Amino acid sequence: MANHFTNTLHHRLPVLTSVNLSLSSISSVTSSCAFNCGPKYTEILNRGTGGYRTAKRRLVIGFGASFWAQFMSMAGNVGGKSFIASARQKGAIEQVLTNVEWPEQFPFKDEDFQRFDESPDTLFYEAPRFVTHIDDPAIAALTRYYSEVFPPINTPGVALLDMCSSWVSHFPAGYKQERVVGMGLNKKELERNPVLTEYIVQDLNVNPKLPFEDNSFDVITNVVSVDYLTKPIDVFKEMSRVLKPGGLAVISFSNRCFFTKAISIWTSTGDADHAMIVGAYFHYAGGFEPPQAVDISPNPGRSDPMYIVYSKKLATA
């Protein structure tokens, strides 16, 4: 069953040998804001005319449906029927990671983690961006979620790690712990973040090794940045290592991104598939409980959607 799934998955992903994309034609926009990610926006990526560079990329229009339907079939379906999740269906995301029978091998290939812009991320993030990449209702929903799952304020010995951090972490107002570490790519942004007690500038796509001892953190967060990781399994293995047994990892995402920097498998699929992809990272990294998905979108169809995939490190890991 697992091998059949893997073969079916990749037979349905023909390679688009060349896509000409003028990065200079969109740089003025991507330097300050994020775009919606997903199949409907592939047309935007085909509008570049400068031939700035040619990138190999998988053509995966329609991939989300076959990917999701195959997984649901393996998992026993929903009510005995094939079910295609929609971001518009409140509650659909929660079903994505229910009773999944994962393939034996990680079902993605190297090209799934390619990006249109393969230049160093340190260049892309060299200038600070003191903006937010999701709208206010989505931010408020994420903050409320954090208030429900974070350890109480000023709990002795508690430490948090905010990965891919910026000038704001969206933690509850006044939230403090003795140690809150931020990791990101822009020093000026990290310096301005008021919740951090320390920070580290590091490109996880170059060096996914986390510079922390084993069992260091109670909570790890990652806000709307998992889609940029080109070595996600390495990063998630490191997350498992540095989390304390029973520690919580919270990965949040929307449908917005810098699409030239997001990985191919992300920009070519939809919200439900994104939850499955993040769930796969947890599963194949090892050391985590079965991941779960939550839809915390505050106003479906009227503001940015907001999704969570979370897991805890195994108590015996």
Side-chain angles (χ1 to χ4, degrees):
M1 179 71 76
N3 289 334
H4 171 71
F5 166 81
T6 304
N7 292 336
T8 300
L9 172 66
H10 290 291
H11 285 160
R12 294 181 67 93
L13 298 177
V15 174
L16 182 62
T17 56
S18 64
V19 175
N20 290 324
L21 174 66
S22 172
L23 295 179
S24 59
S25 68
I26 58 175
S27 62
S28 62
V29 179
T30 58
S31 65
S32 60
C33 66
F35 282 84
N36 292 83
C37 297
K40 64 179 287 188
Y41 289 91
T42 54
E43 62 180 282
I44 296 174
L45 302 177
N46 290 315
R47 293 177 185 167
T49 57
Y52 179 79
R53 63 184 306 219
T54 300
K56 287 187 176 181
R57 182 168 178 84
R58 285 178 167 266
L59 178 63
V60 290
I61 302 302
F63 162 73
S66 62
F67 177 59
W68 177 239
Q70 179 67 40
F71 255 127
M72 293 308 295
S73 176
M74 293 173 61
N77 298 325
V78 177
K81 299 180 180 180
S82 178
F83 179 81
I84 307 300
S86 167
R88 301 285 184 180
Q89 294 176 285
K90 191 68 175 179
I93 295 296
E94 280 83 348
Q95 301 180 51
V96 172
L97 295 173
T98 301
N99 300 320
V100 178
E101 294 181 17
W102 298 99
E104 183 177 350
Q105 301 296 324
F106 188 55
F108 304 118
K109 294 186 176 181
D110 290 345
E111 51 262 46
D112 294 324
F113 301 99
Q114 292 177 344
R115 303 171 297 173
F116 273 105
D117 180 4
E118 294 287 5
S119 63
D121 292 342
T122 49
L123 294 178
F124 187 83
Y125 294 98
E126 184 175 16
R129 296 181 177 90
F130 297 112
V131 297
T132 53
H133 302 297
I134 48 178
D135 62 21
D136 289 343
I139 291 172
L142 178 60
T143 300
R144 284 193 298 270
Y145 181 85
Y146 282 162
S147 69
E148 296 171 358
V149 301
F150 277 8
I153 293 176
N154 292 324
T155 301
V158 163
L160 285 78
L161 171 61
D162 189 28
M163 297 179 62
C164 305
S165 189
S166 178
W167 67 288
V168 60
S169 295
H170 308 310
F171 288 7
Y175 189 82
K176 295 181 181 297
Q177 295 293 354
E178 182 177 341
R179 189 184 190 198
V180 180
V181 183
M183 292 189 70
L185 282 170
N186 188 279
K187 181 179 179 181
K188 291 183 179 179
E189 291 181 8
L190 296 169
E191 286 176 337
R192 190 183 288 193
N193 191 322
V195 305
L196 303 181
T197 62
E198 59 188 275
Y199 65 84
I200 296 171
V201 177
Q202 180 174 322
D203 185 349
L204 293 173
N205 288 339
V206 173
N207 177 18
K209 179 75 172 180
L210 300 181
F212 310 110
E213 296 181 357
D214 297 357
N215 307 319
S216 295
F217 296 98
D218 298 88
V219 178
I220 295 177
T221 57
N222 183 316
V223 181
V224 295
S225 296
V226 67
D227 43 320
Y228 304 124
L229 297 178
T230 61
K231 300 179 176 68
I233 297 301
D234 293 336
V235 172
F236 275 62
K237 286 181 177 179
E238 282 292 284
M239 289 165 53
S240 175
R241 180 183 65 80
V242 303
L243 273 174
K244 299 176 184 178
L248 174 67
V250 179
I251 310 298
S252 59
F253 54 92
S254 184
N255 64 351
R256 302 184 66 79
C257 66
F258 295 114
F259 58 76
T260 61
K261 280 298 185 181
I263 59 173
S264 173
I265 197 67
W266 193 275
T267 58
S268 302
T269 54
D271 294 347
D273 306 290
H274 296 163
M276 183 67 78
I277 290 166
V278 178
Y281 295 166
F282 276 118
H283 175 79
Y284 291 101
F288 288 101
E289 296 179 358
Q292 299 184 54
V294 182
D295 183 351
I296 62 170
S297 304
N299 304 297
R302 299 190 300 277
S303 64
D304 289 343
M306 202 66 203
Y307 309 111
I308 303 286
V309 174
Y310 70 92
S311 182
K312 291 184 177 182
K313 180 176 177 176
L314 293 170
T316 58

